[in-house]
Amino acid sequence: MKKILEIKNLVKSFKDKEIHKDISFDLKAGETIGLLGPSGTGKSVLLRSIIGLEEIDQGEIYFHGKRIDLLTEEELYPIRTKISYAFQNGALFDSDTVFENVAYPLFEHTKLSEKEIELKVVESLKIVNLENSLELMPSDLSGGMQKRVGLARAMVLDPEILLYDEPTAGLDPSNIETVVEVIRKFKAKGISGIFVTHDIPTAKKICDRILILKSGKIAFNGSVEEFENSTDTYVQTFLSGQ
Amino acid sequence: MTFNSIKNDMKVIGEIIILFKDTVRCLFSRPFYLGRLWEQIVHLGIESLSITIVIGVVTGLVMTLQFGYGLEKFGGTLYVPAIVSLSIMRELAPIFTSLLIAGRIGSGISAEIGAMNVTQQIDAIRALGTNPLRVLVVPRLVASMISLPLLATLSAFMGILGGLVIAYVEFNIPAGFYLNKVLSTITISDVFGAMFKCAFFGIIISILACYRGFKTREGTRGVGSSAKWVVVRASIVILISDFFLSKLLILMFD
Ligand SMILES: Nc1ncnc2c1ncn2[C@@H]1O[C@H](COP(=O)(O)OP(=O)(O)OP(=O)(O)O)[C@@H](O)[C@H]1O
Ligand SMILES: [Mg+2]
């Protein structure tokens, strides 16, 4: 399969705090990677670095074989409509309604009419079971609902890659099932994804490959089967912790 | 003032200039957000109308009172209309309006953008492939450049009218004489000069406020201290630059 995203020797630190020492992996077209690692190992920072929200110190990032880590902020804008990031906390615009939040990328990047935008927004919200919350403000929603609106907003432009930052954390079982279904639908459409999670059973259900971060490096990179059968003690702690 | 704090201040000034430069670049290229601009003009200009009028009238009343009694001692009551209108048009209306807007709007902008920043909404704007400068800064900058001169002119107009009332009631200066004097004193260059100064102050207020909003880090407390920072800094810069701008305008037109 073709590589859609490649990360090579990525190094990232904040001030004198080293987060990533040497990260390399690639994402193939249509593949979904589960990214695991203890809290604070830099999973969110890694996703943010991929789309250039964080500047990396060293290393290279390629999208469709084209280097993107050296692009300017302006040059990154079109890339970010193709690699979409669903924030860990939703990061909704809290002065705008749910509808306005999900419609925002459509108004910005498409020439659709208001009617068409409305249809698309409702369609996206339907997928995350929130089609009845159009006129609510983010502050009227629970944390889990905000997250799902964030997911709807991230997918409304039909990106090629979706970076999901713990989309199932804090959700009840039926909504976890909803999100799993969403990701399955994307996979069926051939959309690639990186799925950050602490939820091992869900990761095993929907991911093709598992990556585990440990103190700034990739401690494990293999298929779900290899993950389950691994004898590595570090990997075992994840398997037993589920 | 240590060497480090001066170095730090220089860095801040440099960053503010870069922010301004980048914003101006956005100003001259697509996309434009006319809806957001209108929203800001309403918020910044129209919602400040009533308070501007009150300040203008009160300034006119009190200035006429003070100059009236002051000049009466020397038999100079007849000079009241000229002095009052000139000082209001050139200085008091622009400065009072700008300081008021720095307090009312500057703190609001920095708190709003600061809160968006600490809740990752600015990151969300970027992640959705859009430019926070275009979406947030340009509308606020343009709205304050348009609103502030108009508000100040309105305030001056109301002040001169307020002066007319006191001049008549307290000093028996006829309204016709007052207006004649005002019209022969104030020139079009006084009005445009005042508007020019206010447009400049509008830039100062909005850019400082946006800059500080983007720099806001440490949560809710950071949002509050950013608002304070903007009001204090913007007021000082307005007062200092007013001196130099006034000097410049006098050199050009007087
Ligand atoms: N802007 C920043 N400045 C300084 N340090 C930061 C910044 N952003 C993140 N960090 C640090 O980077 C480290 C990794 O953070 P990150 O949010 O990526 O962790 P994570 O793996 O996503 O954790 P979690 O599972 O809890 O979400 C943390 O120690 C955090 O303190
Ligand atoms: Mg995280």
Side-chain angles (χ1 to χ4, degrees):
Chain A
M1 261 191 296
K2 244 184 77 195
K3 291 175 192 170
I4 184 165
L5 189 72
E6 290 176 78
I7 318 286
K8 288 186 182 164
N9 310 106
L10 183 147
V11 178
K12 168 74 191 166
S13 47
F14 289 108
K15 300 247 168 63
D16 39 11
K17 191 160 143 207
E18 218 172 27
I19 310 290
H20 297 309
K21 293 183 182 131
D22 182 9
I23 304 275
S24 302
F25 67 91
D26 40 54
L27 175 70
K28 296 185 185 68
E31 183 185 44
T32 300
I33 289 181
L35 181 60
L36 313 181
S39 184
T41 40
K43 302 181 297 297
S44 299
V45 170
L46 182 58
L47 296 192
R48 292 168 57 85
S49 301
I50 290 174
I51 55 167
L53 288 183
E54 304 284 354
E55 233 172 276
I56 60 173
D57 304 331
Q58 279 175 51
E60 292 152 33
I61 301 171
Y62 294 88
F63 174 55
H64 283 302
K66 186 176 156 251
R67 190 159 178 194
I68 59 170
D69 59 291
L70 297 175
L71 297 183
T72 64
E73 175 80 8
E74 291 276 340
E75 291 167 332
L76 279 167
Y77 292 140
I79 305 277
R80 290 181 190 148
T81 64
K82 303 207 182 81
I83 310 177
S84 196
Y85 176 47
F87 284 76
Q88 187 161 0
N89 61 1
L92 301 183
F93 302 129
D94 57 11
S95 310
D96 295 341
T97 62
V98 167
F99 173 81
E100 288 165 336
N101 266 279
V102 180
Y104 179 86
L106 294 170
F107 277 116
E108 294 297 331
H109 299 292
T110 69
K111 297 207 159 43
L112 299 179
S113 70
E114 291 208 14
K115 195 82 211 137
E116 291 166 315
I117 287 181
E118 205 178 312
L119 287 175
K120 253 193 109 84
V121 169
V122 172
E123 183 193 324
S124 278
L125 284 169
K126 227 178 220 155
I127 296 178
V128 293
N129 280 338
L130 283 172
E131 72 271 25
N132 296 322
S133 314
L134 281 177
E135 293 311 319
L136 296 183
M137 299 301 283
S139 54
D140 302 334
L141 305 176
S142 71
M145 289 163 92
Q146 292 187 12
K147 234 179 187 153
R148 283 184 283 145
V149 175
L151 189 56
R153 185 177 68 179
M155 67 196 194
V156 75
L157 281 180
D158 298 324
E160 294 176 35
I161 301 178
L162 251 162
L163 309 175
Y164 314 89
D165 205 339
E166 302 196 25
T168 57
L171 298 192
D172 60 275
S174 91
N175 275 312
I176 290 183
E177 207 38 55
T178 306
V179 172
V180 168
E181 276 315 307
V182 171
I183 298 177
R184 282 218 176 98
K185 268 181 210 158
F186 283 136
K187 281 186 72 168
K189 280 204 236 171
I191 296 172
S192 321
I194 300 180
F195 175 67
V196 167
T197 190
H198 295 285
D199 177 358
I200 312 286
T202 305
K204 286 203 285 197
K205 254 192 257 177
I206 51 178
C207 296
D208 306 300
R209 202 143 55 93
I210 300 288
L211 245 63
I212 305 180
L213 282 184
K214 181 191 182 183
S215 40
K217 294 196 172 144
I218 306 245
F220 176 86
N221 180 356
S223 68
V224 172
E225 232 167 59
E226 288 167 332
F227 172 63
E228 282 177 311
N229 300 329
S230 170
T231 50
D232 185 287
T233 49
Y234 188 64
V235 176
Q236 291 282 338
T237 58
F238 280 88
L239 281 165
S240 60
Q242 57 185 270
Chain B
M1 232 193 246
T2 63
F3 176 71
N4 262 339
S5 84
I6 294 176
K7 207 172 85 181
N8 199 37
D9 287 348
M10 285 302 169
K11 191 171 141 244
V12 170
I13 292 172
E15 287 172 349
I16 291 171
I17 293 172
I18 290 172
L19 172 65
F20 179 63
K21 199 192 75 195
D22 290 347
T23 307
V24 169
R25 176 137 25 90
C26 295
L27 211 52
F28 293 107
S29 58
R30 283 172 174 283
F32 306 113
Y33 294 97
L34 294 178
R36 287 173 191 274
L37 173 62
W38 177 243
E39 210 173 84
Q40 289 302 318
I41 288 182
V42 169
H43 178 56
L44 222 137
I46 299 183
E47 286 172 15
S48 304
L49 269 179
S50 51
I51 181 89
T52 311
I53 291 174
V54 171
I55 299 247
V57 171
V58 173
T59 313
L61 297 180
V62 74
M63 290 307 291
T64 313
L65 207 59
Q66 293 287 14
F67 277 124
Y69 282 110
L71 291 170
E72 203 173 40
K73 290 180 200 147
F74 313 103
T77 318
L78 293 184
Y79 294 108
V80 166
I83 294 183
V84 167
S85 58
L86 204 61
S87 51
I88 287 181
M89 188 71 239
R90 283 194 175 185
E91 284 303 330
L92 297 174
I95 286 291
F96 282 169
T97 309
S98 301
L99 292 180
L100 181 84
I101 297 291
R104 204 185 102 81
I105 302 299
S107 59
I109 293 177
S110 78
E112 188 186 0
I113 295 185
M116 289 183 79
N117 199 8
V118 296
T119 54
Q120 291 193 316
Q121 293 176 59
I122 308 274
D123 282 342
I125 292 178
R126 296 172 61 205
L128 293 166
T130 46
N131 186 341
L133 296 187
R134 277 184 206 286
V135 177
L136 298 174
V137 184
V138 168
R140 284 164 177 76
L141 178 81
V142 176
S144 42
M145 280 178 71
I146 294 174
S147 306
L148 215 55
L150 295 178
L151 287 173
T153 311
L154 174 71
S155 169
F157 182 73
M158 297 312 293
I160 291 169
L161 281 188
L164 181 144
V165 174
I166 292 291
Y168 181 71
V169 173
E170 292 274 329
F171 306 106
N172 279 321
I173 301 175
F177 174 80
Y178 182 96
L179 284 178
N180 257 331
K181 277 289 167 202
V182 169
L183 288 177
S184 63
T185 310
I186 291 187
T187 61
I188 202 78
S189 63
D190 289 324
V191 179
F192 282 122
M195 292 178 94
F196 168 77
K197 284 206 287 194
C198 285
F200 182 82
F201 300 152
I203 296 175
I204 297 287
I205 294 169
S206 51
I207 287 292
L208 283 184
C210 292
Y211 168 78
R212 188 58 194 210
F214 286 131
K215 283 282 165 183
T216 301
R217 289 288 175 266
E218 56 288 336
T220 316
R221 191 186 307 150
V223 173
S225 67
S226 286
K228 198 169 66 190
W229 186 94
V230 170
V231 176
V232 173
R233 296 299 189 295
S235 303
I236 294 173
V237 176
I238 286 172
L239 289 170
I240 295 176
S241 58
D242 179 52
F243 173 79
F244 293 101
L245 288 175
S246 301
K247 178 79 189 161
L248 179 77
L249 288 169
I250 288 171
L251 281 179
M252 281 166 60
F253 297 114
D254 278 8

